[in-house]
Amino acid sequence: MNARQGFIGQSVKRREDTRFLTGKGQYTDDITLPGQTHGHFLRSPYAHATIKSLDTSAAAAAPGVLAILTGEHFKAVGGLPCGWLINSLDGTPMKEPKHPVLADGKVRYVGDRVALVVAETLEQAKSAAELIEVDYEELTPVIDAAQAKKIASSVHVEAPDNQCYHWGIGDKDGTEAAFKTAAHVTTLKFRNNRLVPNAMEPRAANASYSRADDNYTLYVSNQNPHVERLLMCAFVLGIPEHKMRVVAPDVGGGFGSKIFLYGEETALVVASKMVGRPVKWTCDRSEAFLSDAHGRDHDSVAELALDKDGHFLALRATTTANMGAYLSTFASSIPTILHATLLAGQYKTPKIWCEVTAVFTNTAPVDAYRGAGRPEATYLLERIVETAAHELKVDPAALRRRNFITTFPYATPVGLTYDTGDYEATLSRAIELAEVGGFAARKAASEAKGLKRGLGYSCYIEACGIAPSSVAGALGARAGLFEAGEVRVHPTGKVTIFTGSHSHGQGHETTFAQVVADRLGIPMEDVVIEHGDTSKVLFGMGTYGSRSLAVGGTAIVKAVDKVIAKGRKIAAHLLEAADTDIEFEGGVFKVAGTDKSVPFAAVALTAYVPHNFPHDKLEPGLNENAFYDPSNFTYPAGTYICEVEVDPATGRTRVDRFTACDDFGNVVNPMIVEGQVHGGLAQGIGQALLEHGIYDNETGQLLTGSYMDYTMPRADDFCHFTVETVKGTPCTHNPLGVKGCGEAGAIGSPPAVINAICDALDLKDMPMPATPHAVWQAIQNNR
């Protein structure tokens, strides 16, 4: 494509796909270092037990074994840290028990790390692990979050009642007063089901120690290598940060589960120094089910107060959030800052009060999973709004329209300020695309076949571009959430971009190149994107919360603008003009009002030949960097409409139509955006219909620990998605006007599906996942 045509808004094919599709990608497990050894973790078979004794002598004598590490090796170091401090309503800080690298005398969930065996081969490490003798004394496990405070067993002595914190936001007294004046109150009680992330590439790490310079290198499947390094060095192992290089090469999906610092890679770093050789570990799928941080798992009660005309007066929500056995890196923020602050949704509800009780249980830690708090908020709000519409016998779309926010900026009652939006536009377009006008005829046709057809709405909003450090800091963040970018222009005019954002499926190598090529007026082929290596890129906070383009992309744009500003001064010298008279457009610097010009490449070369420009006023080179910390979140929003057909004889639900209409602000690459929405819809519909992480309440065993029991969605579980991005309302506070798109599908789709099922069967509620058995049971209970 000619650079002068512009790249923003073009569906450029993903440049990185060639290497992925031809098997040339390099993932952590593909990396084999000289002297490579292998690690295997012995894990707890019990949910809650004291380790009375641990004998590794037989294992240590096994063939090929080089070292065995246990909790004793980590008693003097810190625990894995949590990056967000939440204070309870009484002002006390959350309970924050130590999260040990390896179990420190007690195991707290099935899959908890007990020992690391390092051997010449993986098979030798696995065989030796079977020789480790552990004497466990079983304790009563705490499994159900809703019952955690009532059980006479404590996951941690620091939290005898298993409560981590009791937090709230909003106007409690005002909300109570509003409910007293309500003409109608809708109440719903439901659970947001636990999910297991299941990225295509499992977690993996390969740690190496160099005795020559006392440096470490860690290759790891991770979404934010700088944060990984900071947490491990500063808070756990005490290694000087400049002595640790972290590289996150190609990463096969993350969905949040690879944001966090885990004990596995931390133990490998220590082991690599002990044995003086690299140590590699790759999680197998069974381990992943047990040990990856899970998502969701909320028990909630929601109440919506309305006046006689259907205007929302107040929303009251009470949630019990399952933290699992330990606080993972961002766990405390998910049901609070990233959940409760979004409970206004698209509506001008005057009063909101939300209370969250977080509890420890003997289950895998729970943290961010695609959407991270926003899906839980949207599910709560969109289910109760739809239910209120059915109770009042009002068209669900009309009830929403009656309560939409229409003026911006808008300060919500739960701490956020929406800068812009047009919710009517996405709702109207979604209704048109979904052909809602023909629904009655389609419903009648289904009835003639003995099937039930229903239609459900979901109008979501999310806070993206997870950043503003000032806002995040005030809400408990223990680190800034800025991003960094560096632009290195070579003498030939070619450009290398270094970004603190990390790509693990988002297409950064394409979209970032589009932004830079468009701004500099050069071919995309002249732009290379580098990321994922702490020895190369500036300190950045990584990729999560749909922040890459809004935050990372803006940092790059600011660095590019610095390059252009310096280029103007060089061009002014070459063109014998004042730099204030120099314009830059389409890759050419020119003197305004004349035909005098010089191309970008010529300016780049001149920058590296100091005697050709006034080097007494300008430094040689054309290399600039920038950090960007936004002033606000971005707020993508949209309307999703789902149409289902249910067989009442079997409970089988078929998604027949699904329409997604989103406002993502300005769009850089429509094809990639559509792909992101498709992926999110698959995960959201999967949660609504199929996926559920279930623990046995008596033993704490994960009953859905493989694909035989945990139902992942397949292609034939979906219909054709109708996806459209409206010409939206650009974000007002970043130069690209972008909002973020990666999580929207997973946020907006679950309530749309469940609303459609409830509409089809005239149910008030349908628990997720709506499996055939669950639907059939609901039908029987509703007779």
Side-chain angles (χ1 to χ4, degrees):
M1 183 184 295
N2 190 313
R4 294 176 185 275
Q5 293 176 338
F7 293 98
I8 302 296
Q10 302 297 318
S11 291
V12 178
K13 290 184 179 179
R14 291 181 13 142
R15 304 197 303 180
E16 48 270 73
D17 283 353
T18 298
R19 74 172 184 273
F20 294 145
L21 294 172
T22 57
K24 295 176 182 176
Q26 186 177 61
Y27 301 88
T28 299
D29 189 59
D30 294 325
I31 297 168
T32 299
L33 302 172
Q36 186 71 66
T37 68
H38 298 267
H40 175 73
F41 287 90
L42 177 69
R43 299 184 181 276
S44 171
Y46 299 107
H48 198 193
T50 299
I51 299 175
K52 297 179 67 177
S53 66
L54 196 161
D55 185 352
T56 63
S57 56
V65 173
L66 301 170
I68 299 178
L69 286 75
T70 67
E72 290 295 321
H73 292 89
F74 296 93
K75 280 191 175 294
V77 305
L80 306 178
C82 179
W84 213 291
L85 174 65
I86 298 297
N87 290 315
S88 289
L89 286 169
D90 63 6
T92 59
M94 66 188 186
K95 301 295 192 302
E96 201 168 355
K98 184 178 180 180
H99 186 176
V101 176
L102 296 177
D104 57 355
K106 192 177 183 183
V107 291
R108 293 180 171 88
Y109 65 99
V110 174
D112 206 353
R113 300 171 296 273
V114 175
L116 166 62
V117 180
V118 181
E120 296 286 355
T121 69
L122 179 58
E123 290 72 20
Q124 289 172 332
K126 287 183 174 181
S127 296
E130 295 179 0
L131 300 176
I132 297 176
E133 296 183 6
V134 187
D135 184 9
Y136 295 99
E137 181 180 346
E138 282 193 78
L139 304 171
T140 302
V142 180
I143 303 301
D144 186 353
Q147 302 299 317
K149 294 186 66 177
K150 304 173 185 177
I151 296 176
S153 180
S154 301
V155 180
H156 299 279
V157 295
E158 297 89 341
D161 61 352
N162 295 312
Q163 180 175 294
C164 178
Y165 57 76
H166 179 221
W167 175 92
I169 192 171
D171 181 352
K172 184 176 183 179
D173 291 341
T175 300
E176 298 293 336
F179 267 86
K180 291 177 181 177
T181 68
H184 180 84
V185 173
T186 295
T187 303
L188 268 181
K189 183 178 181 180
F190 51 84
R191 169 168 287 185
N192 205 294
N193 42 320
R194 178 182 282 244
L195 303 175
V196 182
N198 282 298
M200 186 177 294
E201 177 209 20
R203 289 189 294 122
N206 194 346
S208 176
Y209 172 72
S210 170
R211 297 190 187 280
D213 54 12
D214 192 31
N215 282 350
Y216 299 81
T217 300
L218 174 66
Y219 297 92
V220 61
S221 182
N222 183 268
Q223 298 177 216
N224 44 359
H226 274 290
V227 176
E228 172 96 357
R229 182 179 72 167
L230 173 64
L231 297 179
M232 186 186 296
C233 291
F235 296 96
V236 186
L237 299 181
I239 297 171
E241 197 175 358
H242 68 288
K243 290 290 186 179
M244 171 78 79
R245 176 192 178 200
V246 175
V247 183
D250 288 328
V251 173
F255 311 120
S257 68
K258 294 176 182 174
I259 298 171
F260 324 122
L261 175 65
Y262 286 92
E264 285 87 356
E265 57 259 32
T266 309
L268 259 63
V269 168
V270 173
S272 70
K273 184 173 184 178
M274 284 182 61
V275 303
R277 292 166 61 183
V279 186
K280 181 196 291 189
W281 165 80
T282 299
C283 188
D284 65 33
R285 192 59 69 178
S286 294
E287 277 186 293
F289 270 97
L290 295 174
S291 63
D292 286 2
H294 293 177
R296 316 289 193 255
D297 205 349
H298 286 191
D299 282 278
S300 297
V301 176
E303 300 167 278
L304 181 65
L306 303 92
D307 69 12
K308 62 181 178 60
D309 297 316
H311 295 109
F312 301 164
L313 298 176
L315 175 72
R316 185 164 53 204
T318 304
T319 289
T320 299
N322 194 341
M323 297 287 98
Y326 304 102
L327 286 177
S328 181
T329 307
F330 286 134
S332 56
S333 69
I334 306 306
T336 51
I337 308 309
L338 296 178
H339 164 72
T341 57
L342 270 297
L343 287 177
Q346 299 185 7
Y347 311 112
K348 51 190 177 186
T349 310
K351 301 293 180 182
I352 298 175
W353 172 249
C354 177
E355 285 187 27
V356 177
T357 301
V359 295
F360 293 110
T361 64
N362 293 115
T363 63
V366 179
D367 208 318
Y369 172 70
R370 197 170 192 169
R374 282 75 54 85
E376 296 91 316
T378 298
Y379 189 79
L380 184 153
L381 186 59
E382 289 306 292
R383 282 291 295 117
I384 201 162
V385 168
E386 192 98 348
T387 303
H390 284 286
E391 288 181 351
L392 295 170
K393 302 189 185 322
V394 176
D395 174 40
L399 184 64
R400 287 176 167 87
R401 283 183 164 122
R402 196 171 300 167
N403 290 281
F404 273 162
I405 298 163
T406 56
T407 58
F408 297 88
Y410 177 82
T412 76
V414 278
L416 299 181
T417 299
Y418 304 162
D419 61 329
T420 186
D422 187 348
Y423 310 139
E424 172 59 37
T426 50
L427 175 59
S428 295
R429 183 57 178 154
I431 289 172
E432 181 182 351
L433 291 170
E435 299 178 314
V436 172
F439 173 72
R442 295 191 294 273
K443 184 178 180 70
S446 295
E447 290 284 356
K449 296 184 292 183
L451 304 175
K452 301 292 186 180
R453 181 175 286 266
L455 185 144
Y457 291 86
S458 173
C459 294
Y460 79 91
I461 190 169
E462 55 170 327
C464 288
I466 299 300
S469 294
S470 58
V471 176
L475 296 173
R478 287 167 162 165
L481 293 173
F482 53 84
E483 197 48 84
E486 179 182 353
V487 179
R488 188 176 300 173
V489 181
H490 303 287
T492 57
K494 312 302 182 186
V495 178
T496 301
I497 303 296
F498 298 88
T499 174
S501 298
H502 185 274
S503 181
H504 40 278
Q506 292 87 349
H508 293 172
E509 293 174 36
T510 302
T511 51
F512 284 177
Q514 285 181 255
V515 169
V516 173
D518 187 88
R519 209 149 185 105
L520 291 178
I522 61 177
M524 274 187 64
E525 293 74 20
D526 289 358
V527 182
V528 171
I529 308 297
E530 293 280 355
H531 64 93
D533 187 339
T534 61
S535 70
K536 292 182 179 180
V537 303
L538 297 168
F539 189 100
M541 298 305 293
T543 295
Y544 43 84
S546 301
R547 72 193 300 269
S548 294
L549 196 55
V551 187
T554 296
I556 291 170
V557 165
K558 286 184 171 294
V560 168
D561 288 347
K562 290 181 181 181
V563 165
I564 294 171
K566 184 174 181 179
R568 279 197 177 94
K569 295 178 180 179
I570 296 172
H573 176 75
L574 294 175
L575 297 172
E576 299 178 331
D579 55 8
T580 55
D581 292 332
I582 300 298
E583 298 175 343
F584 181 70
E585 185 179 1
V588 176
F589 293 94
K590 62 181 180 180
V591 180
T594 75
D595 59 359
K596 296 173 66 177
S597 65
V598 59
F600 177 76
V603 168
L605 181 60
T606 302
Y608 291 91
V609 186
H611 58 270
N612 284 343
F613 69 92
H615 55 276
D616 57 326
K617 297 180 181 179
L618 292 174
E619 294 179 353
L622 202 52
N623 183 21
E624 300 287 349
N625 62 60
F627 287 81
Y628 176 62
D629 194 349
S631 59
N632 194 1
F633 297 104
T634 63
Y635 298 99
T639 295
Y640 290 175
I641 300 177
C642 177
E643 202 167 310
V644 299
E645 200 172 52
V646 182
D647 184 344
T650 64
R652 184 178 184 274
T653 299
R654 183 176 66 88
V655 177
D656 185 56
R657 291 170 168 236
F658 201 101
T659 301
C661 189
D662 302 284
D663 175 1
F664 295 133
N666 292 336
V667 172
V668 171
N669 188 312
M671 179 191 69
I672 288 179
V673 167
E674 184 172 344
Q676 287 285 308
V677 174
H678 275 239
L681 292 177
Q683 286 178 284
I685 296 171
Q687 176 180 8
L689 295 179
L690 302 165
E691 299 182 50
H692 194 185
I694 303 173
Y695 284 90
D696 182 271
N697 272 332
E698 299 298 322
T699 65
Q701 295 294 326
L702 181 63
L703 301 179
T704 53
S706 76
Y707 292 140
M708 294 293 289
D709 306 295
Y710 187 93
T711 310
M712 293 283 285
R714 301 180 300 184
D716 60 359
D717 291 310
F718 304 115
C719 61
H720 171 77
F721 299 143
T722 300
V723 175
E724 182 172 299
T725 302
V726 300
K727 188 175 181 181
T729 53
C731 174
T732 61
H733 54 81
N734 70 59
L736 293 169
V738 296
K739 295 184 178 182
C741 68
E743 297 164 294
I747 291 170
S749 54
V753 174
I754 299 300
N755 285 339
I757 295 172
C758 289
D759 179 58
L761 301 176
D762 194 26
L763 298 173
K764 181 172 183 177
D765 191 28
M766 178 68 235
M768 290 195 294
T771 62
H773 175 75
V775 173
W776 183 86
Q777 191 65 61
I779 293 171
Q780 308 315 306
N781 294 341
N782 197 43
R783 285 182 171 173

